[in-house]
Every structure is written in C-alpha cells, then in structure tokens.
C-alpha cells in the first residue's frame, strides 16, 4: 500500500472520466483534513530492466500523477500544462487541465489526503495497466472562498489507470484514468 500524501483531490462529479473525478463527490461528510506536502519536484522515475523495478517505476509514476494533479491548481494557471506534462500525456493531460479550469471557475477547492492501494500492475512493453482501490475518505471539495467543506470522499474507490513509457526519457506517465464504479 503506498501513501500518496496529497492535499488536493477531486473535481466536480459532472466531469466523470477526468483525472480526479469521483474521489470526493460520493458522500456528504464534512471532516476537514490537515494538508500534507508531497515532493512535487520529483517526476516519476525512469523504468529499469527488472520486472520488480519496472513495476515500482509504474507505481511511482502513478503516485506522482496524483500528487501533481492534486496540487497544481494552486499555482498560476499558465504553469499548469508544464507541471502536468511531467506526469501525464494525452488524453489524460488535456482532460485533467480542462477539469482543473472548470473547478476553478466553479469556486471549488479541495482538501485532504488520498491513499493509493495499488491492487495490480500489468506491463506490456511501453504500456501498463494499473488497478487501484483508492482511499479518498479524508478528502473532499470545499468552497474556495470560505473553505467550508461540501463533500468528503469514499474509502474504497476503484480506479483503473493506463500509463505509457516515454521513448525519449524512459519515464512512465499517466495516459488515462477511469473510475469503473462498484466496490473494491
């Protein structure tokens, strides 16, 4: 189980299929969580030759995606694309950026921590499929002006992610995130 110490999570439920949708829109609790500060300067590690190292590189890239996604919108909007391109490629890159803009326009901020509980990683050359049972129970959406919580996430949120290894630098990046629903 890997802990992704993030202080940002989720976007409006209407953006189903975006990078951070459904992490917090499923329940109405109001518990506030103290934000933590992940290392956003460290991009995903390049893959190495052994299967175990390859899996670790995919997991690291996936965790880095959530850390970066969940904090980038605190920065000036003109820096978002460069920050997200370090951890994501299209179509997820564009989906995430669009969702961040929509959230900002709606006056929503997010709070809390998310815990990745990676269930499986399947690697096929320069592609990987990852299954996660993410714990978003200490996260939620809040009013950007007042900070008052509006939602709280769920403890068992199924997430499926596709990652691609960049042929120029060997780093894994998230290409697509899906929320298949159900339980895990």
């Amino acid at each position: 189980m890997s802990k992704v110490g993030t202080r940002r999570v989720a976007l409006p439920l209407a953006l189903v299929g975006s990078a951070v949708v459904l992490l917090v829109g499923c329940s109405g609790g109001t518990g506030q969580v103290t934000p933590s500060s992940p290392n956003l300067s460290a991009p995903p590690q390049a893959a190495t030759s052994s299967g175990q190292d390859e899996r670790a590189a995919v997991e690291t890239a996936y965790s880095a995606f959530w850390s970066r996604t969940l904090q980038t919108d605190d920065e000036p909007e003109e820096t978002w694309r460069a920050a997200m391109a370090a951890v994501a490629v299209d179509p997820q890159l564009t989906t995430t950026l669009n969702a961040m803009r929509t959230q900002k326009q709606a006056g929503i901020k997010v709070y809390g921590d998310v815990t990745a509980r990676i269930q499986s990683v399947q690697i096929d050359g320069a592609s990987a499929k990852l299954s996660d049972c993410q714990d978003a129970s200490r996260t939620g959406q809040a009013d950007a002006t007042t900070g008052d919580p509006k939602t709280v996430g769920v403890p068992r949120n199924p997430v499926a992610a596709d990652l691609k290894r960049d042929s120029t630098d060997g780093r894994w990046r998230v290409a697509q995130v899906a929320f298949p629903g159900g339980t895990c």
Side-chain angles (χ1 to χ4, degrees), residues 1-24:
M1 179 183 327
S2 66
K3 171 76 173 175
V4 180
T6 58
R7 62 182 181 75
R8 310 284 306 174
V9 76
L11 293 174
L13 187 56
L15 299 173
V16 173
S18 76
V20 290
V21 172
L22 297 178
L23 289 180
V24 298

Side-chain angles (χ1 to χ4, degrees), residues 20-41:
V20 290
V21 172
L22 297 178
L23 289 180
V24 298
C26 298
S27 139
T30 59
Q32 186 98 13
V33 176
T34 303
S36 42
S37 301
N39 179 0
L40 296 181
S41 63

Side-chain angles (χ1 to χ4, degrees), residues 5 7 31 37 48 51 53 69 80 85 103 110 113 117 119 121-122 137 154 157 161 167 181-182 184:
R7 62 182 181 75
S37 301
T48 59
D53 289 345
T69 298
W80 291 358
Q103 178 176 292
V110 290
D113 289 320
R117 294 183 297 225
Q119 307 294 300
V121 176
Q122 298 173 342
S137 64
V154 297
N157 188 35
S167 62
C184 55

Side-chain angles (χ1 to χ4, degrees), residues 46-47 85-86 88-89 126-127 163-173:
V89 295
S127 297
L163 290 88
K164 302 290 181 193
R165 186 174 47 222
D166 188 309
S167 62
T168 59
D169 66 9
R171 295 183 190 276
W172 288 95
R173 290 178 174 82

Side-chain angles (χ1 to χ4, degrees), residues 50-160:
S50 84
Q52 190 71 6
D53 289 345
E54 194 82 10
R55 178 186 168 104
V58 168
E59 290 179 359
T60 298
Y62 175 77
S63 294
F65 167 79
W66 288 109
S67 293
R68 186 71 54 97
T69 298
L70 304 172
Q71 290 197 351
T72 296
D73 69 349
D74 278 339
E75 302 302 322
E77 191 170 341
E78 61 272 9
T79 66
W80 291 358
R81 178 166 285 282
M84 291 309 304
V87 295
V89 295
D90 278 326
Q92 193 60 55
L93 175 61
T94 297
T95 299
T96 301
L97 292 170
N98 288 341
M100 289 167 56
R101 284 184 196 100
T102 299
Q103 178 176 292
K104 180 179 178 182
Q105 291 167 353
I108 296 171
K109 296 302 261 177
V110 290
Y111 66 89
D113 289 320
V114 95
T115 300
R117 294 183 297 225
I118 297 170
Q119 307 294 300
S120 67
V121 176
Q122 298 173 342
I123 300 169
D124 184 12
S127 297
K129 292 192 178 295
L130 182 145
S131 176
D132 184 12
C133 183
Q134 199 170 70
D135 180 356
S137 64
R138 296 172 304 164
T139 63
Q141 295 178 341
D143 182 278
T145 304
T146 66
D148 293 337
K150 294 178 174 227
T151 66
V152 68
V154 297
R156 302 188 73 75
N157 188 35
V159 180

